[in-house]
Amino acid sequence: MAGSDIVKSVIARAQRLMDENRRLRAEAARLSGQREKLKGDNRKLTERVAELEKRINVLELREGLTSGGNTKQARARVNRLMREVDKCIALLNR
């Protein structure tokens, strides 16, 4: 009978391990789906931040050019943008 108890114990442990394995696989799948959703959200938010930063730059430039405020700052910004455009044109010509 002792052998029978050992076999039953091993079977019970194996069953618990298989149940735990199934549970962990389901949890991993759930977390993987959640991770993909969060990656998508992060990508959208990053794009939104970039878009808003561009709008801020445009508004700051417009403010500098129209209000007669800090013309040095506006001129420096225009020069920086011109250099950026020149770099882009140079890359396109390669």
Side-chain angles (χ1 to χ4, degrees):
M1 289 302 243
S4 174
D5 290 340
I6 293 173
V7 170
K8 286 180 184 178
S9 173
V10 169
I11 290 173
R13 285 183 184 171
Q15 186 62 44
R16 277 187 300 216
L17 286 174
M18 289 188 299
D19 291 344
E20 182 70 9
N21 185 20
R22 272 189 232 104
R23 187 187 68 76
L24 289 174
R25 284 181 185 267
E27 178 74 6
R30 184 186 67 79
L31 290 173
S32 180
Q34 186 178 9
R35 183 187 70 220
E36 292 305 315
K37 180 190 177 302
L38 289 173
K39 278 183 179 181
D41 291 348
N42 187 28
R43 187 173 28 258
K44 287 178 188 175
L45 290 172
T46 301
E47 290 170 0
R48 179 75 173 143
V49 166
E51 175 188 322
L52 290 173
E53 285 176 347
K54 287 178 185 177
R55 286 185 65 194
I56 287 171
N57 285 335
V58 167
L59 290 173
E60 286 175 349
L61 180 59
R62 187 176 73 192
E63 177 73 23
L65 293 176
T66 59
S67 70
N70 191 349
T71 56
K72 280 187 178 182
Q73 184 181 6
R75 194 172 287 149
R77 188 176 306 269
V78 168
N79 287 336
R80 182 179 54 83
L81 291 171
M82 291 293 288
R83 283 191 301 274
E84 230 176 278
V85 168
D86 288 342
K87 287 179 186 177
C88 291
I89 291 171
L91 287 173
L92 289 173
N93 288 334
R94 283 188 184 181

